[in-house]
Amino acid sequence: MHARTGLAAVAVLLTAGCAAEAPRVAVPAAEPATVEMAAASSGGACRLLDFSVISKHTGGKFDVAAAVDKGDTHTCVVRAERALLPELTLTVTDTSIDTSGFTMDVLPRGAKKVTKLGKIAYKQTLPKAGRAGPAAEVGWLATEGRLITLRWTGPRSGTAAQAEKMAARLVGLAQALDTRKF
C-alpha cells in the first residue's frame, strides 16, 4: 500500500510541475532577411535583364530595377541600391523601320557600326552632361522588329576612356540578351 501511495504522490507532483508555465524569456528580434530579387521581377523591359549577366558583362553590381511602359516603348533602369550612378538603361520600342531607315533616322553621327548584333547596330560614347559622367550606348534593330538601346551612364568622376571600354562591354551584354523573349 505504501508503494501505491508513493507512486500516486510522485504522479501528482510530476503532473503539478507540468501544469505550471515556464517563465517567458524575451528574445531579440531577428534581423530581416535580405532577399535578392531578379531584375526581371520589375516587369516591362526588365524581363530581358538579369543582375548576374549585367555584372558579368559590365563589371558593375546592380541590385535595383524599375520598369516603365509608354505606348510601344518599354524601359528598364537598373542601379546599385545606394548610388544614383552608374546606371544602365534598356529601351525596347516596337518599330517597322528597316535597315535603311535605321541608318538614316537612328544611327547617330560619329557612331561606330557593330557586327553580329541584330540586323544593324552601333556603339558610341557621350560626354559628361550635368551631374552625370560620360556615357556609353549600344543601339540595334533586332530581327523581331524592335529598336533597342542599352545606355550606361557613369558617375561624374568617370573618364571618356572608361566610357569607351564600357561601350565594348555593352556590345557583349547586348549580344547576350534574348530579345525574342519580350
Side-chain angles (χ1 to χ4, degrees), residues 122-176:
Y122 70 87
K123 70 177 180 176
Q124 70 173 348
T125 58
L126 303 161
K128 295 178 182 183
R131 293 183 180 188
E137 180 178 274
V138 173
W140 69 100
L141 182 60
T143 55
E144 53 279 334
R146 294 189 180 99
L147 176 62
I148 303 174
T149 59
L150 262 175
R151 180 182 284 202
W152 176 86
T153 305
R156 183 79 179 143
S157 60
T159 66
Q162 289 170 329
E164 191 64 42
K165 285 181 185 177
M166 187 56 67
R169 290 178 174 184
L170 286 182
V171 170
L173 176 57
Q175 291 169 333

Side-chain angles (χ1 to χ4, degrees), residues 15-160:
T15 306
C18 289
E21 287 189 31
R24 294 189 180 229
V25 176
V27 177
E31 289 289 322
T34 302
V35 178
E36 190 169 307
M37 299 296 291
S41 67
S42 295
C46 294
R47 294 182 307 212
L48 297 174
L49 296 175
D50 179 272
F51 289 129
S52 62
V53 174
I54 295 168
S55 179
K56 175 184 171 187
H57 288 279
T58 67
K61 179 162 176 15
F62 297 99
D63 52 12
V64 177
V68 67
D69 299 328
K70 186 169 183 172
D72 289 339
T73 300
H74 311 276
T75 304
C76 178
V77 177
V78 295
R79 292 182 177 163
E81 182 179 357
R82 301 195 193 294
L84 292 176
L85 294 172
E87 75 176 16
L88 181 69
T89 304
L90 170 67
T91 305
V92 180
T93 304
D94 293 330
T95 186
S96 60
I97 67 170
D98 58 8
T99 56
S100 63
F102 183 91
T103 302
M104 289 179 10
D105 298 331
V106 178
L107 186 66
R109 179 173 280 138
K112 298 174 185 169
K113 289 190 177 183
V114 173
T115 60
K116 299 180 183 174
L117 179 58
K119 293 178 180 180
I120 187 170
Y122 70 87
K123 70 177 180 176
Q124 70 173 348
T125 58
L126 303 161
K128 295 178 182 183
R131 293 183 180 188
E137 180 178 274
V138 173
W140 69 100
L141 182 60
T143 55
E144 53 279 334
R146 294 189 180 99
L147 176 62
I148 303 174
T149 59
L150 262 175
R151 180 182 284 202
W152 176 86
T153 305
R156 183 79 179 143
S157 60
T159 66

